[in-house]
């Protein structure tokens, strides 16, 4: 089972290769993903790294949390499971009941 790590405070130009290189100094890296805006494709300033063991992951967290990367302070900790999000707009007709004409009789 992989150990998933959240990395926040990334400089926007950081690449996934650079993120991998940062973590590989502390153990094996299964994957590194920088989260991007779905419309612009620009980095959102955070990402996730997966390491093969909890031991390596915790060592990387201890070594990298609070360090500087290109003038920005990194926040590095164990990733929490993604929370379920409600889809769509919900409500009547999928628009939350806003707009349109409603009979109030």
């Amino acid at each position: 089972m992989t150990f998933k790590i959240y990395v926040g405070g990334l400089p926007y130009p950081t690449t996934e290769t650079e993120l991998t290189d940062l973590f590989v100094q502390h153990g094996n890296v299964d994957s590194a993903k920088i989260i991007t805006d779905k419309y612009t494709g620009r980095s959102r300033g955070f990402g996730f790294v997966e390491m093969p063991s909890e031991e390596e992951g915790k060592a990387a967290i201890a070594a990298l949390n609070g360090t500087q990367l290109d003038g920005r302070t990194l926040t590095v900790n164990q990733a929490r499971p993604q929370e379920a999000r409600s889809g769509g707009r919900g409500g009547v007709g999928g628009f939350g009941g806003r707009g349109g004409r409603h009979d109030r009789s």
Side-chain angles (χ1 to χ4, degrees):
M1 188 167 153
T2 61
F3 188 78
K4 194 167 185 178
I5 300 167
Y6 166 82
V7 186
L10 289 171
Y12 294 111
T14 304
T15 66
E16 290 177 353
T17 300
E18 291 170 327
L19 185 58
T20 299
D21 291 345
L22 183 66
F23 276 80
V24 81
Q25 299 172 41
H26 306 285
N28 294 312
V29 174
D30 287 338
S31 69
K33 175 80 174 144
I34 293 178
I35 305 305
T36 57
D37 181 270
K38 69 180 180 177
Y39 299 109
T40 66
R42 183 175 173 218
S43 168
R44 294 186 59 200
F46 70 96
F48 296 93
V49 173
E50 290 184 332
M51 299 184 82
S53 75
E54 183 175 340
E55 182 178 310
E56 289 176 322
K58 287 187 176 184
I61 289 169
L64 295 171
N65 188 42
T67 61
Q68 296 277 316
L69 180 61
D70 295 336
R72 297 202 55 189
T73 302
L74 298 179
T75 300
V76 183
N77 52 42
Q78 185 174 355
R80 290 182 244 138
Q82 187 174 6
E83 295 179 15
R85 300 193 307 189
S86 61
R89 293 185 171 148
V92 177
F95 293 99
R98 295 180 182 252
R101 184 168 180 209
H102 298 280
D103 289 330
R104 303 201 186 254
S105 47

